[in-house]
Amino acid sequence: MKKILFLFFAAACVLIACDPVSEDISNAGHITLDELKAKTTVSVDKAADGQNGNVISCETLAPVNAKWNIGGKEFVGNFAKKKMKKGDYTVLLTAICADGTELTAEYPVSCQVITDELQKFYIYGEDPTTQPPFQPGAWNAAAMRFSDSEGQNFPYLTDEIYWGFKTLIIDVSDATDDLDVRVMSGWWDNFNADGSETHVHWNSGLNELQLTEDIAKICAKGNDGKNHDLQFMVINGSCTVNSVYYEE
């Protein structure tokens, strides 16, 4: 009887050792890319007719520090969710293991129909009567400074906007072909890590600026921000600025 019990216990141990579900992936080291993918899900919601909706949900159960890039916007954490416009996207997951090993995984996603409408949150221009379109003068540092005290048109941006890493949408018309805009703070800081100036070219239509951690650290008031204010400045060409908003 003892011999039978011993053989049963030995067989059970072998089964447990071979069971991949029971594999211990701990923070003591790193996991493989296959293990990361096995514990990660990227999906979209579904419309009534079965088509892919526009809400992307991302989750990883892997023991890593996770950072997601969804349509150019970054989210830190094991879970991320974002409403998108219709289109094809590639979600990028960057995972850092406990031993410093970095893994990346890509997930193609197609958003075919709008199941959850994006809402506009206006910073300027929701009411064209009280906040009318304007033409910022070249090298006018105050014309497009987001400040209640040192700007001419835009109100200050809240910490929720800065640290929420919102994507600002600037509605522009009458843009000349040579329009060049400098992105900086009210203290003439620039946001490139290499110290170079940040210039962007705006066209007539909708132009986007993704707020980043570097921008928040300089411009936000809270969380050790320097409270320097975000600022756009025309350095070449001309345009009319109609509104500034973000969508969620």
Side-chain angles (χ1 to χ4, degrees), residues 163 187 189 215-229:
W163 290 112
W187 288 28
D189 294 308
I215 292 177
K217 284 180 178 179
I218 294 175
C219 297
K221 293 182 178 181
N223 292 327
D224 297 324
K226 295 181 180 179
N227 191 23
H228 286 189
D229 298 328

Side-chain angles (χ1 to χ4, degrees), residues 13-230:
C13 290
V14 171
L15 287 173
I16 293 174
C18 296
D19 181 6
V21 177
S22 302
E23 185 177 358
D24 178 23
I25 301 175
S26 67
N27 279 333
H30 69 274
I31 63 175
T32 67
L33 182 59
D34 287 341
E35 289 168 336
L36 174 66
K37 291 181 176 179
K39 291 179 175 289
T40 300
T41 302
V42 175
S43 61
V44 292
D45 62 328
K46 295 293 184 180
D49 60 1
Q51 293 190 85
N52 288 346
N54 68 309
V55 181
I56 300 177
S57 298
C58 310
E59 182 178 22
T60 183
L61 300 177
V64 295
N65 291 324
K67 181 171 69 174
W68 309 88
N69 188 301
I70 309 174
K73 183 172 182 178
E74 292 188 344
F75 300 82
V76 176
N78 288 68
F79 179 80
K81 187 174 184 179
K82 190 175 188 302
K83 290 191 288 186
M84 306 294 292
K85 299 176 183 179
K86 289 193 295 184
D88 296 328
Y89 302 93
T90 298
V91 176
L92 177 65
L93 167 61
T94 302
I96 302 178
C97 303
D99 66 351
T101 303
E102 185 173 301
L103 303 172
T104 58
E106 295 184 352
Y107 300 87
V109 175
S110 179
C111 297
Q112 300 167 322
V113 296
I114 300 298
T115 49
D116 194 349
E117 289 283 352
L118 289 163
Q119 297 181 19
K120 290 184 180 180
F121 295 86
Y122 278 91
I123 297 166
Y124 181 89
E126 182 175 12
D127 183 355
T129 301
T130 58
Q131 295 180 326
F134 65 93
Q135 291 185 330
W139 298 98
N140 184 345
M144 294 189 286
R145 178 170 176 168
F146 293 88
S147 172
D148 287 340
S149 59
E150 300 181 71
Q152 293 177 350
N153 297 288
F154 297 158
Y156 83 98
L157 298 179
T158 64
D159 279 8
E160 179 185 4
I161 294 174
Y162 281 124
W163 290 112
F165 305 135
K166 309 299 185 184
T167 299
L168 300 186
I169 302 173
I170 305 95
D171 184 353
V172 170
S173 58
D174 307 319
T176 58
D177 292 339
D178 60 346
L179 177 60
D180 194 12
V181 177
R182 183 175 178 184
V183 182
M184 58 184 188
S185 82
W187 288 28
W188 293 79
D189 294 308
N190 66 74
F191 305 114
N192 284 353
D194 61 2
S196 61
E197 295 180 353
T198 304
H199 291 183
V200 295
H201 176 74
W202 284 353
N203 297 302
S204 291
L206 304 182
N207 303 269
E208 296 186 354
L209 176 73
Q210 172 67 59
L211 297 182
T212 63
E213 184 177 3
D214 288 339
I215 292 177
K217 284 180 178 179
I218 294 175
C219 297
K221 293 182 178 181
N223 292 327
D224 297 324
K226 295 181 180 179
N227 191 23
H228 286 189
D229 298 328
L230 180 66

